[in-house]
Amino acid sequence: MLRYRWTKRFPFLGSRKERKHENATASVSNVGSGSTSVSGNNTESATSEIPSKAAASVLAIHVGLNGLHEALKVVNEAAEVFGPLKSVIGGLLACIEVYQRTLANHEEMERVIKTIDHLASLVTVRLERLGATNASRKRMLKLESDLKNIVKNIEDLQARGFVVRLAENSVDAGKLVGAYQQIKDVLNAFQLEVGLEIEQNVQDILNEVVIRDLRRSRDASFRAAIKTDTLSRGPCTAGTRVEILDKIMAWARADDSPPVFWLTGLAGTGKTTIAYTISERMWAENKLLVSFFCSRQLDSKDSRLIVPTICRNLAELFRSYATKLVPVLQGDSVLGEARIREQVDKLLAGPWSASLPGRDGLPVPVVVIDALDESDDGIEFLKNLLRVVGDKSLRGIKFLVTSRAQPEIVDLCHSFQLPADMICCLHEVPLVDVQDDIAQFLTEKLPELCDTDEFTQITRRAGGLFIFAATAVRFISPPHRTLSHDEQREKLQKLLKPGRPSGSTLLLDQLYEQVLSAAFDEEDEEFLHRRLDILHAVVCAQDLISIPVIAQLLGLNEDTTKTCVDSLHSVLYVSSSLVLCYHASFPEFILDAQRSRFPAPLSSTKEKSRQLQVFCDKPIFNARLAHHCFRIMGSELCFNICHLPSSFMLDHEVDDLHDLVQTNISPVLRYAACNWAEHLLAAGRTNRLSLYDDLKAFLTDVFLFWLEAMNLIGSQWSLCVHLFQQACTWLKFKAGLSNRSALLNDAASFTRSFTQSPASQSTPHLYISCLSTWSSSAPISKIWKPRFKHLPLFSPEPVYADPLLTIETFTETVAFSPDDLNLASAVFTMSLSPTPQRSIQIWDSTTGELHQELVGHTKRITSVSFSDDGAYIVSASEDMSICIWDTSTGKQLRELLGHTGSVEVVAFSHDTQYIVSGSKDMSIHIWARDPKVSDQLKQLDGHTDWVQCAVFSHDDMQVVSGSKDGSVRIWDVKAGQQVRELTGHDNWICAVMFSPCGSQIMSGSYDGSLRIWDVSTGKALKQFDTDETYDVSSVAFSRDGQKIVSGSTLPYNVRICDVTTGKLLKVLRDHCDNIQSVMFSHDGTRVVSASGWTDQSIHVWMASERRPEELKGHTLQVRWVAFSSDGERVISVSGDKTIRVWDAATGRQLKKFKYALEYCDILAFSSDGALVACSAAAKDGGPLLRIWDTASGKLATEQYIGEEVGCLSFSPDSTCIVTGLESGSLIIWNSRTGEKLLHLKGHTESRVTSVAFFPDGFQLVSGSSDSSIRIWDTKNGENVHVLTGHTEGVTSVAVSVGGEKIVSGSWDGSVVVWDAETGERVKEIHLALKVWNHACSVAFSPRVEHPQIVAGLDDGTVRVWDQTTGKLVKVLRGHTDWVDFCGIFTRRDTYCLWFI
C-alpha cells in the first residue's frame, strides 16, 4: 500500500472522503495475450490515503490506464511519498515494455518518464521542506487544475482498442508522449517555484552575525550608485552589440553550456557596458544573478573582497548554500580577510559543493565579474576560480568574466581550455559592425549632429573604440550643461582637426590631446601648473579623493580646484564629492612620458601652438604628496584631538564619538594619516634626504598623536602596521639611510604592540598604558616619555610575552625575507594525511596573510632561505633536490641535483650568485644560481656525519659548516679545501654564523653551549652554557651578532640571550611542542619561531630586552598565589612556611607571615584587602582555617575545622568567609572572630570544589564533585536552587558582576552559563580538546557590555568566550600542564592571573 505524508504537512488539503476518486473502479481486459481484471476495492485501497485533489488528479492519469497489469504491479510495490505520479510512470513503462518493438518513439517516451520520475522526487522533498504557506496553497490549486486538463486528454485516448492503436499508430503514440510531456512541464514549473521559495527564504540566516560581518564591496554591484547617469557604468545603447549580447544571453540561459564565458578586448572596446547590459537584462528577467564590477578607483579594486561579496550575495539567493556557509564562518571568522586561495576553497567552493543536493533542478545562477584586470590581484583570483571550476567544485554556477587581454590572463584562460565559442574578443569583431554600433550610439547621444559631415568622420575616427565615442560625447555635450547646435558642432570640429596617424592607442591619445588642450588653453604658466597639479593629484591619489582634500593637500583654492575638475568633465567626474576617472586608459595616458607630450593650439596668443606636457612623473609627484601629507599631519595632529572625557571609558562608551571624530579629524587629515607611507614608497629615490627629514619630524613630533587619530577613526591594526612596513621598505632602499632606522623600527614595534592590545579599546591608554610600560631604553620612550610628566612608573618594566602574530600551519623551518616584510615556511604533512602537502608558503610577517605557495618538492622540505636582494628563495628537501624560486612570480627557476642523501641546509651567498648546501651524505656543495653556469662548482668533503648548517662569510670567500659529528669547519670556497676544524662541542652543531666583522665565528650546539671562535687561529674565545633543564633544539644569531635566540624541546620555550655576557634577556612561552626553527628579523626587532607536529604554529615575537622578573624570596615550592581585589598586591604561600605579600607593580615584598604548620595552601584576600585567609593543617594533621591581619601581620583568628578544605572565599563586605569541605558541606564563619555562623548541608558526601558569593553577599553558589551546583541564602542557610545538568563533577563556579548569571566548569567537558534567578541553562559550551577535555577553573569578566567568560583548561590553555554568543574569542597558550586556577579579570579586562 502506498503511504502518503502530505496531509501531515498540509492539513488544509481536505478530508479523506473528498480525496477518493469517483472513477476508482474500472476494468481493462485483453491486455497483451492475457486478461486481467481489477476490483474497485483494490484501487480504493491503493488510493485511500491520497492527500489532495491535486494528487487525486495525478492518480486519475493512471486510472485512465488502470487495466494495465504492469501499472498495478508498480502501484502495489511502490512506497514513495509522491506515489500517484509513480503509478502513472509504472503504467506507461509496462505499456512500453509490451509494445517496445513496434513503438517508433519509445526512446523519447522513456526519457520523458525518467524526467517525470526525478521531478516527482524533487516535488515531494521540497513540499515537505516548505510547509504550509499561502503561496504553497495557491501553487497546489494551480497544480490540481493543470493536472485535470492533462487527465482529460489521456481519457480521450482511452477508448477500447487504444493499446493496439498505440502500437500501430504513431500519431496516437505521439499524442500520449505529448500528454506526458505536459506532466513533465507542469511538475517542473511547480518544483521550480517551490524550490526557489525555499532557497530564497534566508532572512533568518542573514541575521547571523558571521554573515552580517562578512566584508563585501559597496561599489561592486552593477546596481551600485556609481554615477550611473553617466557613461562610467551603464547599459549599451538600444540596438547595439546585438549579436554579442544574444550570444552571451544564450549561454547564460542554456542548461548545458560551459561554466565560464570570457569577454576580452582592448581598453575602451566596451566590455563593462556589455557586462552591465547582461546584468541588467538578467535582473529584469528575474534570473539568479551576482555581479562584481572591479574598478581601480573604488573599493572593488580589492581582490580580497571578490569572494566574500560573491558569497554574501549567493547566501541571499540560496538557503542551502547559506546554511553551509554559516558554520564555516563560525569556525573561522577571519576568512573574509584570508588569502584568495583559502577564500575560494573554504568560503565558496566548499559550502557550494556541500549544498548542491539542495538545489537539484533549480536554475543556475550567473556571476558576472567585470574588469578583472583592474583588481589588485585579479589574476590570482582567476587562477583559483578556474582551478575549482575545473575540479567540478562549483557545479551549478556560471561565470561571465571580462578583462583586457593581458598575457597572464590569456595564458590562464587557454590553459583552462575554454571552448572557442566561449571566448569573445571585442577587438576582433569586424570593424564595420562596431562602427555601425558606434554610429547608432552617437545618433542617440548627439541627434542634432547626425546629419552633418563631421558626424560621419567622428564615427570613423572612433576606430571601433566605444570609449572614444563616449569621451567625445562628453566633450561635445558636457553633462549638466546645454549647448546649442552650433556650439556642439564647433566642438566636434575641434576634435576632427588633423592629428597624428591613427591606431587603437593613438586614437585615444588624439582624443585626450583635444580634451586637455581645451582644458589647458591658457598662456599663464602658473595657471597651467596649478591645473596640472590638480590633475596629477587625481591620478596619483592612493585612495578616493575629494575636491576639498585635493585643494588642501596642494594648498590651492577650492574653487580653483573645482573649476579645473569641471573643465576636464570629459575624462573626470564627481560622484558623492569624490573625483574619479571615467576610464582606466586616461591615467595610463597621463603617466606615459611619450604619449602625454604633444603640440597644443593656443587661442589666446599669436602663436599657433606650443608643446603641452601633461605627463605626470609618478615618483616625483608622489614625493610631493608625501611631503604634503607630513605637512598636514604636523599642523593638525595634537594630543587628545577629539577631547575624550576620561581614560576610564572604552571608546565605544563615549557619547557621540562618531560626531567628535568627524568634527575634529578633517577629511584631509584622514587622507594624510592613512596614505603618507604609500606616497613615500611610491616616491622611490626622489628627494630621499628631504623626505627623511619629514619622516623624522613625524616620528619625533606627532607620531603618538597620529596613532591616537588612527585608533579613533577605526583603522584596522593591519593598516597601521602596513604603513610602517611601507616606510621601513622605503628607508632600506635608500643608500646612506639604512643606519637611521632604529627610531622607525621602534615606532613600528610600538604601533604593532598598541594596535593589537586591549589598550586600543580605550584610546587614552595609548599614553597611560602603552607608553608608560614601553622600555625606557627604547627610542620612542626617550623622545616621548619626557613630554608626559605624570605617566605611571613601572619598576621592573612589564614583560610582553604574547606573540605579535600566530600563523597556524605545519612547518619545521621558517625564514624572514631581507626586508622583514614576509616569512617563508616549509609546509609538510605526513603521507597518511588525506591531502599531503610539500610546499613553501610566503606569509605577510605582520598580518599573517598568505601571499604565495610554491609547490615542487616531492618530500619533506628541510630548509628555506631568501637571497639578500629578496628576489629568490632557495629550498632543500629530503628528495635530495634543491630548488630555486622567483619570489615575484612564485615560479620554480631551477632544480639542482647532485646530493645522494637528504639535503638538510641551504643558503645563498651575499652577492646572490652562489648557493651552499649541506646533506646527510656528509658533503657540502657549492652551486651557481645562474643557469648559464655549470650547476655544481665544488664539493667539500670532510665531515663524518650529516651536515646540519652552513653559511657564507660576508665576502663570500669562505663557508663555515656545522655537523652532527660535533665539529665546526671553515672552507675556502675558491680552492674547495678545508681551512680549519673547530672542535669542542659535545653534540650536534645546529647553528653557525660569521660575526659582522668576519673575524669570529659563533656556533650553537644541542649540547646546550654557545661558543665564539677566532677565524684565524681556530681558538675558542668564549663559551657559555644554558641551564641543564633547557634542551636546545634550534639556534640562530642576530644579524649584528649581539644576541642569540634558541628554541628547546623541553620546556617548549624560546630564549633570547646576550652573546657577550650570556645573560638571559627574554623568555617567550606560547608553543606546546618542540620548537624546530628560530630566526631573528634582519632589523633585530622581532623573532620568528616554528613548531610542527602537534603545535603546528608559527609565532612572531618582539625581541626587545625586557626580561621577565621574578618575585624572589621564597626558598621552596610556591603552592598558591592570588591578587588583591584592587590588583595592587599579590599574595603567595610556600612550602618554606611563609606567606608573603608583594607589590604587584614593583615586585617589592610588603609583608611576610610565618606559620608553624604542616602545610598551608589555599589562599584568599578579603575584598577590602585587610585580611588574608588560608586553609592549613597542624602538625598533628588537623585541618585549620587561619586568618591574618595584613596591616599588622598578626593572626586574627584560627579555627579547627576537622576535615579537609576544598575551597574558601570571602564575602563582598569582608565580614564573612565560607569554606567548602571534603564531606560536601559548607561553613560560613565570622572573619574577625572565627565564630561559626551557618553550616550548609545539601551536597552528597562529595567534596565541595568551588564556592563564590553573589555581589550583594545575600547568596552564595557552590559546586561539588556530586555534579550539582547549589545556591544558598547566606542569612538563613536555605538551599534556594539546585542546578543540575553536568554529568560529572563540577570543578569551578563563578558569579557575574551583576549577580544575574552563574558559570560552571565540569569534568564532563562543558562550561555552562546559568540564570541565577530561575536556575535554567542560558548557554552551554562543549570543549573538544586533546587531553581530558574539562575546565579546571572559570570566571566572568566584570564588563556589563560585551561580557566574557574565561576558563583554565586541562590542556594548559586559558580560553575566553563571548558570554552572549558562546563564540570563542581568544586562546591564551603557554602553560604546559593543567590550569587549576584563573583569577577574575581586572576592571578593564586587560589581564588575567594564571596559576598552575
Side-chain angles (χ1 to χ4, degrees), residues 686-728:
T686 305
N687 296 338
R688 61 181 185 271
L689 292 176
S690 174
L691 286 177
Y692 176 77
D693 291 339
D694 287 337
L695 177 60
K696 185 177 180 181
F698 164 76
L699 294 172
T700 56
D701 297 340
V702 297
F703 161 63
L704 288 188
F705 306 149
W706 167 81
L707 193 51
E708 175 189 333
M710 292 293 283
N711 199 55
L712 288 169
I713 64 179
S715 297
Q716 292 181 335
W717 68 267
S718 57
L719 172 60
C720 297
V721 175
H722 173 72
L723 291 174
F724 271 100
Q725 281 186 327
Q726 301 286 69
C728 290

Side-chain angles (χ1 to χ4, degrees), residues 456-758:
T456 304
Q457 294 179 49
I458 199 69
T459 301
R460 288 199 303 268
R461 182 73 66 87
L465 297 178
F466 268 87
I467 187 60
F468 183 101
T471 306
V473 166
R474 289 192 294 272
F475 179 77
I476 296 166
S477 180
H480 313 301
R481 288 175 58 192
T482 302
L483 298 183
S484 67
H485 173 272
D486 291 339
E487 288 173 323
Q488 288 185 357
R489 187 166 187 178
E490 182 180 347
K491 284 201 156 199
L492 176 56
Q493 289 169 347
K494 278 188 177 182
L495 285 181
L496 294 173
K497 286 183 178 179
R500 288 178 283 176
S502 295
S504 62
T505 301
L506 293 179
L507 283 173
L508 271 179
D509 289 0
Q510 291 176 34
L511 182 60
Y512 290 145
E513 288 170 11
Q514 295 287 356
V515 170
L516 292 167
S517 295
F520 298 140
D521 184 12
E522 177 62 48
E523 60 180 321
D524 187 336
E525 287 295 323
E526 184 178 351
F527 175 89
L528 175 63
H529 286 306
R530 278 202 305 268
R531 291 204 163 195
L532 282 177
D533 283 350
I534 295 167
L535 174 60
H536 294 169
V538 175
V539 171
C540 291
Q542 295 293 333
D543 199 355
L544 297 179
I545 196 167
S546 65
I547 288 175
V549 170
I550 295 172
Q552 293 175 65
L553 265 181
L554 301 178
L556 300 176
N557 181 278
E558 191 171 326
D559 289 338
T560 300
T561 306
K562 185 177 186 305
T563 301
C564 176
V565 172
D566 288 344
S567 69
L568 293 167
H569 60 264
S570 303
V571 288
L572 303 179
Y573 69 96
V574 179
S575 176
S576 301
S577 79
L578 301 173
V579 184
L580 301 99
C581 299
Y582 276 104
H583 198 266
S585 59
F586 180 66
E588 293 169 357
F589 171 78
I590 297 297
L591 295 172
D592 190 311
Q594 294 184 345
R595 294 170 60 193
S596 56
R597 186 180 290 111
F598 52 88
L602 287 172
S603 59
S604 57
T605 67
K606 296 180 181 179
E607 298 179 21
K608 292 185 178 180
S609 66
R610 63 167 175 188
Q611 192 73 14
L612 182 61
Q613 181 172 331
V614 296
F615 165 64
C616 175
D617 189 314
K618 196 172 183 179
I620 290 177
F621 202 82
N622 271 284
R624 289 183 59 191
L625 290 178
H627 172 74
H628 289 314
C629 286
F630 286 127
R631 174 180 58 80
I632 294 291
M633 290 190 292
S635 63
E636 295 194 19
L637 288 170
C638 62
F639 175 73
N640 197 14
I641 191 171
C642 290
H643 312 293
L644 299 183
S646 171
S647 63
F648 291 97
M649 301 173 68
L650 299 179
D651 289 348
H652 72 81
E653 296 170 342
V654 178
D655 292 336
D656 303 321
L657 179 63
H658 179 268
D659 294 338
L660 289 172
V661 171
Q662 295 300 315
T663 301
N664 294 287
I665 301 179
S666 66
V668 69
L669 176 57
R670 186 184 294 247
Y671 178 88
C674 293
N675 295 283
W676 60 269
E678 301 285 355
H679 289 301
L680 191 65
L681 187 62
R685 298 182 177 275
T686 305
N687 296 338
R688 61 181 185 271
L689 292 176
S690 174
L691 286 177
Y692 176 77
D693 291 339
D694 287 337
L695 177 60
K696 185 177 180 181
F698 164 76
L699 294 172
T700 56
D701 297 340
V702 297
F703 161 63
L704 288 188
F705 306 149
W706 167 81
L707 193 51
E708 175 189 333
M710 292 293 283
N711 199 55
L712 288 169
I713 64 179
S715 297
Q716 292 181 335
W717 68 267
S718 57
L719 172 60
C720 297
V721 175
H722 173 72
L723 291 174
F724 271 100
Q725 281 186 327
Q726 301 286 69
C728 290
T729 301
W730 173 82
L731 194 63
K732 289 174 184 176
F733 276 169
K734 311 303 161 244
L737 296 183
S738 57
N739 61 339
R740 306 182 188 181
S741 63
L743 177 59
L744 182 63
N745 289 334
D746 194 44
S749 299
F750 187 93
T751 300
R752 190 181 294 114
S753 178
F754 171 68
T755 54
Q756 296 185 46
S757 74

Side-chain angles (χ1 to χ4, degrees), residues 46 385 677 720 944 1090 1236:
L385 175 67
C720 297
T944 58
K1236 184 187 293 186

